[in-house]
């Protein structure tokens, strides 16, 4: 081994001190793929269910319970708390 000072040293490794990489626990594979089609979200709170909204045309939604409408760009994910 060469040290930071450039000095060379002999090193003897003892078999019982060597750690085998294969002895480590298996790593968990994580899938980092984004599960949503868009980056932006509209979060609907209590009282608004997915079944209450009907898309009348692209970007125009109507709440079947209240008659309220929502016009947005079609580039949003809808998330419902109920």
């Amino acid at each position: 081994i060469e040290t930071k000072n450039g000095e060379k040293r002999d090193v003897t490794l003892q078999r019982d001190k060597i750690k085998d990489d294969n002895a480590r626990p298996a790593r968990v594979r994580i899938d980092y793929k984004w599960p949503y089609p868009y980056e932006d979200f509209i979060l609907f709170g209590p009282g608004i269910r997915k079944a209450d909204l009907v898309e009348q045309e692209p970007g125009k939604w109507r709440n079947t319970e209240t008659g309220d409408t929502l016009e947005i760009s079609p580039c949003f994910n809808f998330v419902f708390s109920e």
Side-chain angles (χ1 to χ4, degrees):
I1 292 178
E2 189 171 327
T3 66
K4 291 180 183 177
N5 305 355
E7 178 183 323
K8 294 187 180 188
R9 296 177 31 192
D10 289 334
V11 175
T12 303
L13 297 175
Q14 298 173 353
R15 184 176 267 307
D16 62 333
K17 302 292 183 195
I18 298 173
K19 184 174 180 178
D20 182 3
D21 274 353
N22 293 326
R24 289 187 295 179
R27 293 186 179 143
V28 176
R29 185 167 174 87
I30 299 172
D31 184 1
Y32 291 102
K33 292 179 186 169
W34 184 250
Y36 303 99
Y38 309 110
E39 294 180 5
D40 299 311
F41 292 84
I42 294 178
L43 175 61
F44 294 97
I48 302 175
R49 297 171 304 177
K50 186 175 185 177
D52 294 341
L53 292 180
V54 175
E55 189 173 24
Q56 293 180 312
E57 57 187 70
K60 187 171 183 180
W61 295 82
R62 186 175 56 82
N63 185 319
T64 58
E65 294 292 313
T66 64
D68 295 337
T69 59
L70 173 65
E71 290 187 52
I72 59 167
S73 162
C75 301
F76 287 91
N77 300 295
F78 285 0
V79 179
F80 298 86
S81 64
E82 288 189 10

